[in-house]
Amino acid sequence: AQSVTQPDIHITVSEGASLELRCNYSYGATPYLFWYVQSPGQGLQLLLKYFSGDTLVQGIKGFEAEFKRSQSSFNLRKPSVHWSDAAEYFCAVATGGAGNQFYFGTGTSLTVIP
Amino acid sequence: DAGVIQSPRHEVTEMGQEVTLRCKPISGHNSLFWYRQTMMRGLELLIYFNNNVPIDDSGMPEDRFSAKMPNASFSTLKIQPSEPRDSAVYFCASSPQGALSAEQYFGPGTRLTVT
């Protein structure tokens, strides 16, 4: 069965430090991949997406993610974290095509310390 | 654009009562999704519509849950009768393309508390 795994439930980083949030998926073909961010009390906002082409994708707010087929991963990165980046981050996968399914990971909560 | 609009933002009701959650998708989007978010189960897709037609309702937990989309600009999620375990944040999302593979735009959510 298809699934999305975010192995880190909670991450704490210092402001200005780099960030990497992990996401692994289980699917036989290349899926459509997304990262969303959820601030407290808010809905989810799309940060970036990968459908095809260049495996390094740029998103909003200075985030980027790299699709690695060999590792079934789509990790989110940011070179320098700001206090406003504190939020919940969700990786999502859509299988596309007939029988299209959409799965969210369980989320990673990010705390930024000054 | 105002984005996806959900109402009410908060709902507190007693067990056994009927609850109706409302959603107005972004104009021009032809897909609409209802999600439920809890600490225990995370984000769950309940149902989605393409061009006002329900495509997949396999995520609807029980017959107590029903969803309608009478037109392209309005959808409801109804729970009747409500139970305490239905307490959650319910999100509506819309998408400009008729497939789950397209990005989704989320509303602010409705926080439901059933006592």
Side-chain angles (χ1 to χ4, degrees):
Chain A
Q2 296 85 357
S3 67
V4 182
T5 303
Q6 293 182 246
D8 304 306
I9 296 174
H10 185 234
I11 284 183
T12 299
V13 299
S14 298
E15 190 168 17
S18 63
L19 171 70
E20 182 168 28
L21 303 182
R22 296 183 290 166
C23 173
N24 293 94
Y25 65 89
S26 172
Y27 181 58
T30 299
Y32 300 90
L33 298 161
F34 308 83
W35 274 100
Y36 285 84
V37 60
Q38 184 180 28
S39 298
Q42 303 295 316
L44 280 71
Q45 181 184 21
L46 180 69
L47 282 175
L48 47 79
K49 61 185 178 184
Y50 173 78
F51 283 2
S52 64
D54 191 349
T55 57
L56 182 65
V57 293
Q58 302 296 320
I60 62 172
K61 303 185 180 186
F63 285 91
E64 66 178 25
E66 186 172 13
F67 169 59
K68 293 186 177 180
R69 184 191 307 275
S70 61
Q71 299 177 18
S72 297
S73 69
F74 188 57
N75 294 349
L76 182 72
R77 301 194 295 252
K78 186 170 184 177
S80 178
V81 170
H82 188 261
W83 64 266
S84 61
D85 293 324
E88 188 89 13
Y89 291 82
F90 292 92
C91 181
V93 166
T95 57
N100 202 357
Q101 296 292 319
F102 201 94
Y103 303 92
F104 277 94
T106 52
T108 298
S109 177
L110 174 65
T111 297
V112 180
I113 55 177
Chain B
D1 198 316
V4 176
I5 298 172
Q6 291 186 249
S7 64
R9 292 294 308 276
H10 302 272
E11 176 80 31
V12 180
T13 190
E14 293 183 346
M15 182 175 61
Q17 296 298 307
E18 177 181 296
V19 175
T20 300
L21 311 181
R22 297 172 175 79
C23 175
K24 176 179 170 55
I26 293 173
S27 177
H29 286 193
N30 58 4
S31 294
L32 183 139
F33 310 83
W34 282 102
Y35 291 87
R36 178 173 67 176
Q37 186 179 37
T38 62
M39 288 293 293
M40 291 295 295
R41 301 175 67 92
L43 262 172
E44 302 173 276
L45 176 64
L46 301 178
I47 185 171
Y48 80 94
F49 296 83
N50 273 354
N51 297 316
N52 313 338
V53 176
I55 302 301
D56 183 356
D57 65 354
S58 60
M60 296 286 262
E62 300 171 33
D63 291 344
R64 298 185 296 107
F65 286 69
S66 63
K68 294 181 180 180
M69 192 164 185
N71 56 63
S73 59
F74 183 66
S75 177
T76 59
L77 178 67
K78 184 178 295 186
I79 308 172
Q80 167 62 20
S82 58
E83 297 182 4
R85 60 194 170 119
D86 301 329
S87 298
V89 180
Y90 291 80
F91 288 102
C92 176
S94 69
S95 174
Q97 300 179 28
L100 286 174
S101 55
E103 59 266 39
Q104 299 178 22
Y105 296 79
F106 283 75
T110 294
R111 181 174 295 277
L112 174 64
T113 302
V114 183
T115 61

mmCIF file with all atom_site columns, all heavy atoms in Angstrom, chain B residues 5-20:
data_model
loop_
_atom_site.group_PDB
_atom_site.id
_atom_site.type_symbol
_atom_site.label_atom_id
_atom_site.label_alt_id
_atom_site.label_comp_id
_atom_site.label_asym_id
_atom_site.label_entity_id
_atom_site.label_seq_id
_atom_site.pdbx_PDB_ins_code
_atom_site.Cartn_x
_atom_site.Cartn_y
_atom_site.Cartn_z
_atom_site.occupancy
_atom_site.B_iso_or_equiv
_atom_site.pdbx_formal_charge
_atom_site.auth_seq_id
_atom_site.auth_comp_id
_atom_site.auth_asym_id
_atom_site.auth_atom_id
_atom_site.pdbx_PDB_model_num
ATOM 1   N N   . ILE B 1 5  ? -13.285 29.594 1.921  1.00 0.00 ? 5  ILE B N   1
ATOM 2   C CA  . ILE B 1 5  ? -13.984 30.132 3.087  1.00 0.00 ? 5  ILE B CA  1
ATOM 3   C C   . ILE B 1 5  ? -14.744 28.999 3.776  1.00 0.00 ? 5  ILE B C   1
ATOM 4   O O   . ILE B 1 5  ? -15.475 28.247 3.131  1.00 0.00 ? 5  ILE B O   1
ATOM 5   C CB  . ILE B 1 5  ? -14.963 31.248 2.674  1.00 0.00 ? 5  ILE B CB  1
ATOM 6   C CG1 . ILE B 1 5  ? -14.185 32.404 2.041  1.00 0.00 ? 5  ILE B CG1 1
ATOM 7   C CG2 . ILE B 1 5  ? -15.754 31.745 3.892  1.00 0.00 ? 5  ILE B CG2 1
ATOM 8   C CD1 . ILE B 1 5  ? -15.070 33.477 1.433  1.00 0.00 ? 5  ILE B CD1 1
ATOM 9   N N   . GLN B 1 6  ? -14.558 28.900 5.080  1.00 0.00 ? 6  GLN B N   1
ATOM 10  C CA  . GLN B 1 6  ? -15.265 27.890 5.865  1.00 0.00 ? 6  GLN B CA  1
ATOM 11  C C   . GLN B 1 6  ? -16.046 28.571 6.991  1.00 0.00 ? 6  GLN B C   1
ATOM 12  O O   . GLN B 1 6  ? -15.576 29.545 7.576  1.00 0.00 ? 6  GLN B O   1
ATOM 13  C CB  . GLN B 1 6  ? -14.299 26.877 6.474  1.00 0.00 ? 6  GLN B CB  1
ATOM 14  C CG  . GLN B 1 6  ? -13.651 25.961 5.454  1.00 0.00 ? 6  GLN B CG  1
ATOM 15  C CD  . GLN B 1 6  ? -12.816 24.877 6.120  1.00 0.00 ? 6  GLN B CD  1
ATOM 16  O OE1 . GLN B 1 6  ? -11.580 24.876 6.025  1.00 0.00 ? 6  GLN B OE1 1
ATOM 17  N NE2 . GLN B 1 6  ? -13.490 23.941 6.777  1.00 0.00 ? 6  GLN B NE2 1
ATOM 18  N N   . SER B 1 7  ? -17.200 28.009 7.267  1.00 0.00 ? 7  SER B N   1
ATOM 19  C CA  . SER B 1 7  ? -17.979 28.510 8.394  1.00 0.00 ? 7  SER B CA  1
ATOM 20  C C   . SER B 1 7  ? -18.726 27.360 9.047  1.00 0.00 ? 7  SER B C   1
ATOM 21  O O   . SER B 1 7  ? -19.063 26.373 8.374  1.00 0.00 ? 7  SER B O   1
ATOM 22  C CB  . SER B 1 7  ? -18.976 29.583 7.934  1.00 0.00 ? 7  SER B CB  1
ATOM 23  O OG  . SER B 1 7  ? -19.927 29.032 7.041  1.00 0.00 ? 7  SER B OG  1
ATOM 24  N N   . PRO B 1 8  ? -18.947 27.423 10.347 1.00 0.00 ? 8  PRO B N   1
ATOM 25  C CA  . PRO B 1 8  ? -18.339 28.401 11.245 1.00 0.00 ? 8  PRO B CA  1
ATOM 26  C C   . PRO B 1 8  ? -16.868 28.079 11.496 1.00 0.00 ? 8  PRO B C   1
ATOM 27  O O   . PRO B 1 8  ? -16.396 27.025 11.093 1.00 0.00 ? 8  PRO B O   1
ATOM 28  C CB  . PRO B 1 8  ? -19.169 28.210 12.524 1.00 0.00 ? 8  PRO B CB  1
ATOM 29  C CG  . PRO B 1 8  ? -19.519 26.756 12.507 1.00 0.00 ? 8  PRO B CG  1
ATOM 30  C CD  . PRO B 1 8  ? -19.757 26.419 11.056 1.00 0.00 ? 8  PRO B CD  1
ATOM 31  N N   . ARG B 1 9  ? -16.147 28.943 12.145 1.00 0.00 ? 9  ARG B N   1
ATOM 32  C CA  . ARG B 1 9  ? -14.753 28.661 12.489 1.00 0.00 ? 9  ARG B CA  1
ATOM 33  C C   . ARG B 1 9  ? -14.673 27.765 13.728 1.00 0.00 ? 9  ARG B C   1
ATOM 34  O O   . ARG B 1 9  ? -13.760 26.954 13.858 1.00 0.00 ? 9  ARG B O   1
ATOM 35  C CB  . ARG B 1 9  ? -13.995 29.960 12.750 1.00 0.00 ? 9  ARG B CB  1
ATOM 36  C CG  . ARG B 1 9  ? -13.795 30.812 11.516 1.00 0.00 ? 9  ARG B CG  1
ATOM 37  C CD  . ARG B 1 9  ? -12.879 30.135 10.494 1.00 0.00 ? 9  ARG B CD  1
ATOM 38  N NE  . ARG B 1 9  ? -11.635 29.694 11.055 1.00 0.00 ? 9  ARG B NE  1
ATOM 39  C CZ  . ARG B 1 9  ? -10.573 30.473 11.215 1.00 0.00 ? 9  ARG B CZ  1
ATOM 40  N NH1 . ARG B 1 9  ? -10.613 31.732 10.833 1.00 0.00 ? 9  ARG B NH1 1
ATOM 41  N NH2 . ARG B 1 9  ? -9.456  29.991 11.746 1.00 0.00 ? 9  ARG B NH2 1
ATOM 42  N N   . HIS B 1 10 ? -15.647 27.932 14.601 1.00 0.00 ? 10 HIS B N   1
ATOM 43  C CA  . HIS B 1 10 ? -15.720 27.104 15.806 1.00 0.00 ? 10 HIS B CA  1
ATOM 44  C C   . HIS B 1 10 ? -17.165 26.672 16.018 1.00 0.00 ? 10 HIS B C   1
ATOM 45  O O   . HIS B 1 10 ? -18.089 27.451 15.781 1.00 0.00 ? 10 HIS B O   1
ATOM 46  C CB  . HIS B 1 10 ? -15.243 27.878 17.050 1.00 0.00 ? 10 HIS B CB  1
ATOM 47  C CG  . HIS B 1 10 ? -13.845 28.385 16.926 1.00 0.00 ? 10 HIS B CG  1
ATOM 48  N ND1 . HIS B 1 10 ? -12.746 27.631 17.281 1.00 0.00 ? 10 HIS B ND1 1
ATOM 49  C CD2 . HIS B 1 10 ? -13.357 29.574 16.491 1.00 0.00 ? 10 HIS B CD2 1
ATOM 50  C CE1 . HIS B 1 10 ? -11.647 28.337 17.075 1.00 0.00 ? 10 HIS B CE1 1
ATOM 51  N NE2 . HIS B 1 10 ? -11.975 29.507 16.587 1.00 0.00 ? 10 HIS B NE2 1
ATOM 52  N N   . GLU B 1 11 ? -17.316 25.421 16.438 1.00 0.00 ? 11 GLU B N   1
ATOM 53  C CA  . GLU B 1 11 ? -18.656 24.906 16.702 1.00 0.00 ? 11 GLU B CA  1
ATOM 54  C C   . GLU B 1 11 ? -18.585 24.020 17.927 1.00 0.00 ? 11 GLU B C   1
ATOM 55  O O   . GLU B 1 11 ? -17.771 23.090 17.981 1.00 0.00 ? 11 GLU B O   1
ATOM 56  C CB  . GLU B 1 11 ? -19.154 24.093 15.497 1.00 0.00 ? 11 GLU B CB  1
ATOM 57  C CG  . GLU B 1 11 ? -20.499 23.428 15.688 1.00 0.00 ? 11 GLU B CG  1
ATOM 58  C CD  . GLU B 1 11 ? -21.655 24.378 15.481 1.00 0.00 ? 11 GLU B CD  1
ATOM 59  O OE1 . GLU B 1 11 ? -21.522 25.295 14.675 1.00 0.00 ? 11 GLU B OE1 1
ATOM 60  O OE2 . GLU B 1 11 ? -22.689 24.202 16.150 1.00 0.00 ? 11 GLU B OE2 1
ATOM 61  N N   . VAL B 1 12 ? -19.430 24.331 18.899 1.00 0.00 ? 12 VAL B N   1
ATOM 62  C CA  . VAL B 1 12 ? -19.540 23.491 20.081 1.00 0.00 ? 12 VAL B CA  1
ATOM 63  C C   . VAL B 1 12 ? -20.972 22.994 20.143 1.00 0.00 ? 12 VAL B C   1
ATOM 64  O O   . VAL B 1 12 ? -21.904 23.796 20.085 1.00 0.00 ? 12 VAL B O   1
ATOM 65  C CB  . VAL B 1 12 ? -19.184 24.253 21.369 1.00 0.00 ? 12 VAL B CB  1
ATOM 66  C CG1 . VAL B 1 12 ? -19.320 23.329 22.576 1.00 0.00 ? 12 VAL B CG1 1
ATOM 67  C CG2 . VAL B 1 12 ? -17.776 24.829 21.295 1.00 0.00 ? 12 VAL B CG2 1
ATOM 68  N N   . THR B 1 13 ? -21.141 21.700 20.244 1.00 0.00 ? 13 THR B N   1
ATOM 69  C CA  . THR B 1 13 ? -22.478 21.140 20.240 1.00 0.00 ? 13 THR B CA  1
ATOM 70  C C   . THR B 1 13 ? -22.533 19.955 21.198 1.00 0.00 ? 13 THR B C   1
ATOM 71  O O   . THR B 1 13 ? -21.498 19.429 21.626 1.00 0.00 ? 13 THR B O   1
ATOM 72  C CB  . THR B 1 13 ? -22.876 20.701 18.827 1.00 0.00 ? 13 THR B CB  1
ATOM 73  O OG1 . THR B 1 13 ? -24.267 20.374 18.801 1.00 0.00 ? 13 THR B OG1 1
ATOM 74  C CG2 . THR B 1 13 ? -22.078 19.478 18.395 1.00 0.00 ? 13 THR B CG2 1
ATOM 75  N N   . GLU B 1 14 ? -23.734 19.551 21.504 1.00 0.00 ? 14 GLU B N   1
ATOM 76  C CA  . GLU B 1 14 ? -23.915 18.409 22.397 1.00 0.00 ? 14 GLU B CA  1
ATOM 77  C C   . GLU B 1 14 ? -24.097 17.128 21.592 1.00 0.00 ? 14 GLU B C   1
ATOM 78  O O   . GLU B 1 14 ? -24.630 17.150 20.467 1.00 0.00 ? 14 GLU B O   1
ATOM 79  C CB  . GLU B 1 14 ? -25.120 18.631 23.305 1.00 0.00 ? 14 GLU B CB  1
ATOM 80  C CG  . GLU B 1 14 ? -24.926 19.762 24.303 1.00 0.00 ? 14 GLU B CG  1
ATOM 81  C CD  . GLU B 1 14 ? -26.122 19.908 25.236 1.00 0.00 ? 14 GLU B CD  1
ATOM 82  O OE1 . GLU B 1 14 ? -27.183 19.327 24.942 1.00 0.00 ? 14 GLU B OE1 1
ATOM 83  O OE2 . GLU B 1 14 ? -25.985 20.599 26.262 1.00 0.00 ? 14 GLU B OE2 1
ATOM 84  N N   . MET B 1 15 ? -23.669 16.055 22.180 1.00 0.00 ? 15 MET B N   1
ATOM 85  C CA  . MET B 1 15 ? -23.820 14.751 21.553 1.00 0.00 ? 15 MET B CA  1
ATOM 86  C C   . MET B 1 15 ? -25.259 14.535 21.103 1.00 0.00 ? 15 MET B C   1
ATOM 87  O O   . MET B 1 15 ? -26.199 14.850 21.848 1.00 0.00 ? 15 MET B O   1
ATOM 88  C CB  . MET B 1 15 ? -23.407 13.675 22.553 1.00 0.00 ? 15 MET B CB  1
ATOM 89  C CG  . MET B 1 15 ? -23.476 12.269 22.021 1.00 0.00 ? 15 MET B CG  1
ATOM 90  S SD  . MET B 1 15 ? -22.821 11.088 23.219 1.00 0.00 ? 15 MET B SD  1
ATOM 91  C CE  . MET B 1 15 ? -23.910 11.332 24.588 1.00 0.00 ? 15 MET B CE  1
ATOM 92  N N   . GLY B 1 16 ? -25.418 14.020 19.910 1.00 0.00 ? 16 GLY B N   1
ATOM 93  C CA  . GLY B 1 16 ? -26.734 13.742 19.378 1.00 0.00 ? 16 GLY B CA  1
ATOM 94  C C   . GLY B 1 16 ? -27.280 14.825 18.477 1.00 0.00 ? 16 GLY B C   1
ATOM 95  O O   . GLY B 1 16 ? -28.241 14.593 17.719 1.00 0.00 ? 16 GLY B O   1
ATOM 96  N N   . GLN B 1 17 ? -26.677 15.983 18.536 1.00 0.00 ? 17 GLN B N   1
ATOM 97  C CA  . GLN B 1 17 ? -27.152 17.090 17.701 1.00 0.00 ? 17 GLN B CA  1
ATOM 98  C C   . GLN B 1 17 ? -26.604 16.972 16.272 1.00 0.00 ? 17 GLN B C   1
ATOM 99  O O   . GLN B 1 17 ? -25.552 16.358 16.026 1.00 0.00 ? 17 GLN B O   1
ATOM 100 C CB  . GLN B 1 17 ? -26.726 18.428 18.300 1.00 0.00 ? 17 GLN B CB  1
ATOM 101 C CG  . GLN B 1 17 ? -27.343 18.721 19.658 1.00 0.00 ? 17 GLN B CG  1
ATOM 102 C CD  . GLN B 1 17 ? -28.843 18.802 19.607 1.00 0.00 ? 17 GLN B CD  1
ATOM 103 O OE1 . GLN B 1 17 ? -29.417 19.546 18.820 1.00 0.00 ? 17 GLN B OE1 1
ATOM 104 N NE2 . GLN B 1 17 ? -29.509 18.001 20.442 1.00 0.00 ? 17 GLN B NE2 1
ATOM 105 N N   . GLU B 1 18 ? -27.304 17.604 15.373 1.00 0.00 ? 18 GLU B N   1
ATOM 106 C CA  . GLU B 1 18 ? -26.843 17.676 13.986 1.00 0.00 ? 18 GLU B CA  1
ATOM 107 C C   . GLU B 1 18 ? -25.881 18.844 13.818 1.00 0.00 ? 18 GLU B C   1
ATOM 108 O O   . GLU B 1 18 ? -26.097 19.925 14.373 1.00 0.00 ? 18 GLU B O   1
ATOM 109 C CB  . GLU B 1 18 ? -28.034 17.846 13.045 1.00 0.00 ? 18 GLU B CB  1
ATOM 110 C CG  . GLU B 1 18 ? -27.651 18.004 11.578 1.00 0.00 ? 18 GLU B CG  1
ATOM 111 C CD  . GLU B 1 18 ? -28.865 18.193 10.688 1.00 0.00 ? 18 GLU B CD  1
ATOM 112 O OE1 . GLU B 1 18 ? -29.681 17.263 10.605 1.00 0.00 ? 18 GLU B OE1 1
ATOM 113 O OE2 . GLU B 1 18 ? -28.990 19.285 10.080 1.00 0.00 ? 18 GLU B OE2 1
ATOM 114 N N   . VAL B 1 19 ? -24.819 18.601 13.079 1.00 0.00 ? 19 VAL B N   1
ATOM 115 C CA  . VAL B 1 19 ? -23.815 19.625 12.826 1.00 0.00 ? 19 VAL B CA  1
ATOM 116 C C   . VAL B 1 19 ? -23.652 19.782 11.318 1.00 0.00 ? 19 VAL B C   1
ATOM 117 O O   . VAL B 1 19 ? -23.537 18.768 10.599 1.00 0.00 ? 19 VAL B O   1
ATOM 118 C CB  . VAL B 1 19 ? -22.457 19.247 13.433 1.00 0.00 ? 19 VAL B CB  1
ATOM 119 C CG1 . VAL B 1 19 ? -21.395 20.264 13.054 1.00 0.00 ? 19 VAL B CG1 1
ATOM 120 C CG2 . VAL B 1 19 ? -22.567 19.127 14.945 1.00 0.00 ? 19 VAL B CG2 1
ATOM 121 N N   . THR B 1 20 ? -23.649 21.006 10.849 1.00 0.00 ? 20 THR B N   1
ATOM 122 C CA  . THR B 1 20 ? -23.422 21.274 9.420  1.00 0.00 ? 20 THR B CA  1
ATOM 123 C C   . THR B 1 20 ? -22.258 22.235 9.263  1.00 0.00 ? 20 THR B C   1
ATOM 124 O O   . THR B 1 20 ? -22.291 23.351 9.790  1.00 0.00 ? 20 THR B O   1
ATOM 125 C CB  . THR B 1 20 ? -24.672 21.851 8.751  1.00 0.00 ? 20 THR B CB  1
ATOM 126 O OG1 . THR B 1 20 ? -25.749 20.914 8.860  1.00 0.00 ? 20 THR B OG1 1
ATOM 127 C CG2 . THR B 1 20 ? -24.405 22.113 7.275  1.00 0.00 ? 20 THR B CG2 1
#
